[in-house]
């Protein structure tokens, strides 16, 4: 009678061990919602990561401000790159400024703009007298929307 | 003994046979878990959609000449010659000039120069206008070499890199500045502007004379080099294509 109980106990214990091992293996191969959430996040990053840059073949580039951008200040800084030694002329609706590029071809100049839409024309006059132009619109607006 | 072995096998078999039922019971979420998961999924979708929407929409200010207009939409040609569509809704505010207080969509005509501030949708490539205003007259920028100077009529003749010629009318309000690498910008005048120098003129096209520009500002670039085309138009009487200050 005692032997019967021992055998039944061993058999139940073995059955439980086998069942537990099987359950753990099954759980480790399951796809959890956490993994799925990570996948969505990557997708969002991809959507938000779109950026555009324009570059002229002569190396003349206006980095900022962006075309059709809005600003809440009456002075803007125009930054970009051109051939080293170039003269840069920046014109807004009512002002002009001129500057020189640095040895590495960078330039930066501040210009005053009018209220509303402004056409900003940036011209780089290279050392050989040739020139390249960039036109963009910058709007001064304090409207909240 | 045989009896015990049979009993052992029977118990093991029973345990193994009940295992799938246990797996199923633990892996399948209860109705409460399902509901929670669905809520989480909904929130995730809403957040993702809002983030995507924020990335797709940006505030912009566009400027262009009206090519077509309806009560809900304005088509314009921007300064680069590209067509753009501007949507108008009940929240769009109109602002004309000081002479018209009740400026609205019906006052917008083909050929008008308008500026729009609103939300640009990168997906539809439409701007949802929040503010519409009549744009100010934009200046014409002309860069060239001063080939002639008429002191009687107060005009300068400028020729650009493409060989295009413009007569620059100097008004009493015209501001003239001089730029040199050494001294930067300083005030100047018509009398100090001599043929042979490069200058950038900002002004307005004369509607009656196509080749005339009414100068608002002149920036004389004293030591800026001339292009090969410009050099051809430097008058022989000029002391030097790049005169000293």
């Amino acid at each position: 009678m005692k032997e019967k109980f021992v055998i039944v106990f061993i058999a139940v214990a073995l059955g439980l061990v086998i069942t537990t091992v099987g359950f753990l293996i099954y759980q480790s191969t399951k796809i959890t919602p956490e993994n799925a959430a990570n996948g969505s996040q990557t997708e969002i990053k991809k959507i938000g990561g779109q950026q555009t840059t324009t570059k002229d073949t002569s190396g003349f580039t206006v980095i900022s401000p962006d075309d059709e951008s809005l600003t809440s200040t009456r002075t803007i800084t125009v930054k970009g790159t051109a051939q080293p030694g170039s003269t840069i002329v920046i014109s807004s609706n009512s002002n002009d400024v001129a500057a020189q590029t640095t040895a590495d071809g960078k330039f930066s100049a501040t210009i005053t703009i009018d209220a509303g839409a402004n056409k900003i024309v940036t011209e780089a006059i290279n050392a050989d007298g040739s020139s390249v132009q960039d036109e963009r619109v910058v709007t001064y607006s304090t409207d909240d929307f | 003994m045989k009896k015990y072995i049979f009993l052992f096998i029977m118990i093991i078999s029973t345990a193994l046979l009940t295992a799938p039922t246990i797996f199923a019971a633990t892996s399948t979420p209860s109705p409460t878990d399902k509901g929670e998961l669905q809520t989480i999924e909904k929130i995730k979708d809403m957040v993702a959609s809002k983030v995507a929407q924020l990335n797709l929409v940006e505030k912009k200010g566009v400027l262009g000449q009206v090519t077509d207009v309806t009560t809900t939409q304005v088509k314009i040609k921007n300064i680069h010659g590209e067509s753009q569509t501007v949507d108008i809704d009940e929240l769009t505010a109109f602002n004309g000039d000081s002479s018209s207080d009740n400026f609205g969509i019906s006052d917008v005509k083909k050929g008008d120069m308008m500026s729009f501030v609103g939300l640009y949708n990168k997906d539809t490539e439409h701007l949802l206008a929040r503010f519409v205003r009549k744009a100010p007259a934009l200046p014409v920028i002309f860069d060239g070499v001063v080939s002639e100077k008429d002191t009687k009529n107060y005009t300068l003749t400028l020729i650009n890199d493409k060989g295009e010629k413009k007569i620059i009318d100097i008004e009493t309000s015209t501001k003239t500045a001089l730029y040199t690498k050494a001294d930067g910008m300083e005030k100047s005048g018509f009398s100090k502007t001599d043929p042979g120098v490069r200058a950038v003129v900002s002004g307005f096209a004369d509607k009656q004379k196509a080749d005339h520009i009414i100068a608002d500002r002149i920036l004389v670039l004293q030591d800026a080099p001339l292009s090969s085309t410009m050099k051809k138009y430097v008058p022989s009487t000029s002391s030097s294509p790049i005169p000293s200050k």
Side-chain angles (χ1 to χ4, degrees):
Chain A
M1 191 64 187
K2 199 182 172 185
E3 279 179 330
K4 255 187 195 176
F5 279 113
V6 172
I7 286 166
V8 168
F9 178 77
I10 291 167
V12 168
L14 264 172
L16 282 171
V17 168
I18 293 165
T19 311
T20 308
V21 169
F23 173 73
L24 289 172
I25 292 166
Y26 171 73
Q27 283 291 88
S28 66
T29 55
K30 229 170 58 168
I31 298 166
T32 61
E34 203 180 326
N35 295 340
N38 287 341
S40 314
Q41 208 172 10
T42 314
E43 195 63 35
I44 294 159
K45 277 178 187 167
K46 275 179 194 167
I47 296 163
Q50 290 173 351
Q51 272 197 331
T52 53
T53 49
T54 52
K55 189 157 183 168
D56 188 87
T57 47
S58 65
F60 174 56
T61 314
V62 176
I63 299 161
S64 71
D66 285 332
D67 190 21
E68 298 181 340
S69 59
L70 297 177
T71 178
S72 57
T73 57
R74 289 295 285 269
T75 52
I76 56 161
T77 303
V78 180
K79 288 180 185 175
T81 57
Q83 288 178 12
S86 298
T87 301
I88 308 295
V89 179
I90 303 160
S91 304
S92 69
N93 290 5
S94 55
N95 284 289
D96 301 305
V97 289
Q100 293 295 128
T101 54
T102 56
D104 56 355
K106 288 179 183 166
F107 67 86
S108 176
T110 304
I111 191 164
T112 310
I113 58 166
D114 291 343
N118 287 262
K119 187 168 84 166
I120 308 295
V121 181
T122 308
E123 183 178 23
I125 301 167
N126 301 321
D128 63 354
S130 63
S131 59
V132 273
Q133 261 192 10
D134 174 277
E135 285 186 357
R136 51 190 67 199
V137 172
V138 176
T139 305
Y140 169 80
S141 170
T142 50
D143 298 320
D144 192 28
F145 61 97
Chain B
M1 187 64 186
K2 269 184 186 176
K3 200 177 162 186
Y4 292 139
I5 291 168
F6 176 74
L7 188 66
F8 179 79
I9 290 166
M10 281 298 288
I11 291 165
I12 286 283
S13 305
T14 311
L16 287 173
L17 282 169
T18 53
T21 319
I22 297 163
F23 291 176
T26 50
S27 64
T28 309
S30 66
T32 319
D33 290 341
K34 225 177 193 177
E36 278 173 3
L37 275 172
Q38 274 177 351
T39 313
I40 291 164
E41 284 299 320
K42 265 186 191 173
I43 292 166
K44 262 166 53 187
D45 287 348
M46 280 164 70
V47 170
S49 139
K50 196 71 193 167
V51 169
Q53 197 185 357
L54 285 171
N55 286 323
L56 277 170
V57 174
E58 65 176 325
K59 287 181 180 180
K60 264 192 178 189
V62 302
L63 174 73
Q65 194 167 33
V66 177
T67 55
D68 195 23
V69 59
T70 66
T71 50
T72 56
Q73 216 169 58
V74 180
K75 286 192 190 292
I76 58 162
K77 192 161 267 187
N78 68 14
I79 61 162
H80 308 295
E82 297 157 352
S83 290
Q84 278 184 295
T85 305
V86 179
D87 294 328
I88 308 292
D89 67 7
E90 66 281 359
L91 295 173
T92 307
F94 286 81
N95 189 354
D97 47 40
S98 53
S99 61
S100 55
D101 292 334
N102 300 317
F103 185 73
I105 186 71
S106 56
D107 299 306
V108 178
K109 307 278 179 238
K110 274 186 193 180
D112 285 351
M113 200 69 177
M114 305 292 298
S115 78
F116 304 86
V117 171
L119 299 164
Y120 179 75
N121 189 310
K122 291 176 191 173
D123 194 28
T124 61
E125 296 184 345
H126 283 206
L127 182 95
L128 177 61
R130 284 286 153 262
F131 298 94
V132 180
R133 291 182 182 93
K134 272 196 172 176
L138 295 175
V140 175
I141 312 288
F142 193 83
D143 166 34
V145 62
V146 179
S147 64
E148 285 172 48
K149 180 179 175 178
D150 185 341
T151 49
K152 276 186 184 174
N153 296 312
Y154 285 96
T155 62
L156 292 170
T157 303
L158 257 74
I159 296 170
N160 72 5
D161 195 31
K162 293 171 188 165
E164 287 174 293
K165 191 168 119 178
K166 290 282 179 192
I167 312 290
I168 312 300
D169 294 322
I170 312 295
E171 303 289 311
T172 49
S173 59
T174 305
K175 291 173 194 165
T176 307
L178 179 83
Y179 173 78
T180 55
K181 286 178 191 176
D183 300 326
M185 301 265 289
E186 54 186 66
K187 274 188 178 178
S188 187
F190 176 71
S191 58
K192 294 176 189 170
T193 310
D194 294 318
V197 290
R198 190 166 183 157
V200 177
V201 174
S202 303
F204 300 93
D206 191 326
K207 286 174 184 173
Q208 282 149 7
K209 297 170 191 170
D211 61 340
H212 279 239
I213 292 174
I214 301 160
D216 179 43
R217 305 176 321 260
I218 299 172
L219 177 59
V220 179
L221 304 164
Q222 190 74 51
D223 43 18
L226 302 177
S227 70
S228 53
T229 312
M230 289 177 190
K231 280 176 188 168
K232 292 176 195 168
Y233 298 98
V234 174
S236 54
T237 50
S238 174
S239 54
S240 160
I242 305 168
S244 57
K245 198 181 151 189

